[in-house]
Every structure is written in structure tokens, then in C-alpha cells.
Amino acid sequence: VDCGGSCAYLCAVSQQPPTVLFTKAFQNSGGRTDIVASIENKNANAAAKDVPYTITLYGSGQSFIQEVSGTVDLVPGLVTPIYVSGIASGKQTVTRAFLAIDPLAPRWFAMTADERRVPTVSTTKFSGVVSSPRIEAVVVNPTMNAFMNVRVIILVHGPKKDVIAASGTILPTIPAQGQATAIFTWNNAFSSSPTAIEVVPIIPLPDR
């Protein structure tokens, strides 16, 4: 409320709210559903940590199935993927999924550049068979310190640039100035031929 006071956070009304670019559901066997989404922070000079979001799943006739929640860090000027696996959807077929963020939920603070040290992805390799695709991504740590428990999200794009598959994994350790391989597998064939692979290591924003 006191935008001119000593609070370290910025006025929410002076910042652009986060934009949900897309939300997509992938139905699996056993009544489980995976969700992938993409969030854009259009603010070039503001970041927000642990921003709460809600994902709602609907079936036919807009019947409510399940709701889950989580948090995401919003880095200045960047798009951040979200991947949530194994949401219980029972016997109903998920027809729609929506990710929502309250525009007033982010606690924005000033950040003019990405302050994180983030691993890079050097190579990706597609293997496996059509019915069980497999992708390996080599993640490189250019820093002098080891990274621990790094979450890595993969988005597989199809001919129309849409996301046809997604997954996530945890790399327990990426040694200092070393590398580790993230392996992603699927139990079903992709709906179309992949044309691009996007691999994103997720490193939290520094505490404020």
C-alpha cells in the first residue's frame, strides 16, 4: 500500500502482470494427467519470487476434475515453463486445463538483469523407438561451484510450433565446470514428428 515507503518491493500496479502463454494437458494411463504451461514476465526491470499459481482441470461439459497449486519464480523479461506431472484425474478425460495467477499476487522487486548463474544445454540427442521416445540433454555447469538438485524441464515442439510432449527430471549434481546428462522418456509415441526441442534448467531466484 505504501509505495513510497521503505518496503523493498515495488508497486504491483506499476508492473505488468504475468502472462500465461499457454496451458496444455497430457493424459496418461492410470487416471493421471501431466500439465505443461508457459509464463511470461514482460517486466524488464522487475522480478518476483515464489509467485503462487493454480491449475484447474476440466472434463467434458466443463465438469470440474481437480485443482492443484504451486509457485514459480518470474525472471525479468523471460518466459518460464511450468511442468506438473501425475495429477489425479480419475476416469474422466481431461478436455481443458487452465493456469491462473492473481495479478496482485507477485511481490515485485527491482532487478535489471538476471542475477542467477544458470547451467547451459550443450547438446540434445533423440533416440529410442517411435512408441517409446527418449531424449538425452547434456547440461553444462560453467561455474566454479557445483549445482545440486537442478530441475530440468523439456518441451518438445511439433510442426505447428505447438508443444506435443513435455517432461521434467532432477539432476542430483552438476559438478563445477562439469556436466551431467538429463534423460527424458515417454511411454507413448508423440502425436506428430518433433521439429524443435527446448530444454530449460530451473534455477531459483536469490532470496530477498
Side-chain angles (χ1 to χ4, degrees):
V1 175
D2 183 12
C3 294
S6 60
C7 178
Y9 295 102
L10 305 173
C11 289
V13 294
S14 65
Q15 308 301 322
Q16 295 190 63
T19 301
V20 180
L21 300 180
F22 74 88
T23 308
K24 188 168 184 177
F26 295 96
Q27 192 109 24
N28 298 318
S29 59
R32 316 296 290 186
T33 298
D34 298 340
I35 297 294
V36 62
S38 189
I39 313 298
E40 182 179 12
N41 176 12
K42 295 181 179 179
N43 300 295
N45 299 307
K49 187 174 176 63
D50 296 330
V51 179
Y53 65 79
T54 301
I55 297 173
T56 308
L57 306 184
Y58 294 95
S60 60
Q62 291 292 339
S63 59
F64 173 80
I65 296 177
Q66 176 67 284
E67 185 176 272
V68 297
S69 59
T71 61
V72 61
D73 288 356
L74 301 177
V75 183
L78 292 185
V79 174
T80 301
I82 292 175
Y83 176 73
V84 182
S85 63
I87 301 175
S89 52
K91 297 181 180 180
Q92 298 188 67
T93 299
V94 176
T95 59
R96 291 188 178 185
F98 296 94
L99 187 147
I101 296 178
D102 184 338
L104 298 180
R107 302 181 68 188
W108 299 107
F109 56 87
M111 181 183 286
T112 57
D114 190 352
E115 297 178 0
R116 305 170 303 162
R117 302 297 299 273
V118 181
T120 60
V121 178
S122 63
T123 60
T124 57
K125 178 183 177 183
F126 189 96
S127 61
V129 296
V130 173
S131 59
S132 300
R134 173 188 173 103
I135 296 176
E136 298 179 9
V138 177
V139 183
V140 179
N141 177 5
T143 75
M144 297 297 293
N145 299 305
F147 283 108
M148 309 299 292
N149 298 320
V150 177
R151 179 168 172 79
V152 184
I153 296 174
I154 185 171
L155 307 179
V156 183
H157 297 270
K160 298 180 180 180
K161 297 184 180 180
D162 56 330
V163 176
I164 60 173
S167 188
T169 190
I170 300 291
L171 291 177
T173 304
I174 310 176
Q177 295 189 322
Q179 64 185 37
T181 301
I183 299 174
F184 308 91
T185 59
W186 293 265
N187 295 324
N188 300 298
F190 295 153
S191 58
S192 59
S193 299
T195 58
I197 297 171
E198 182 181 0
V199 180
V200 183
I202 303 296
I203 300 297
L205 284 168
D207 291 330
R208 276 295 190 275

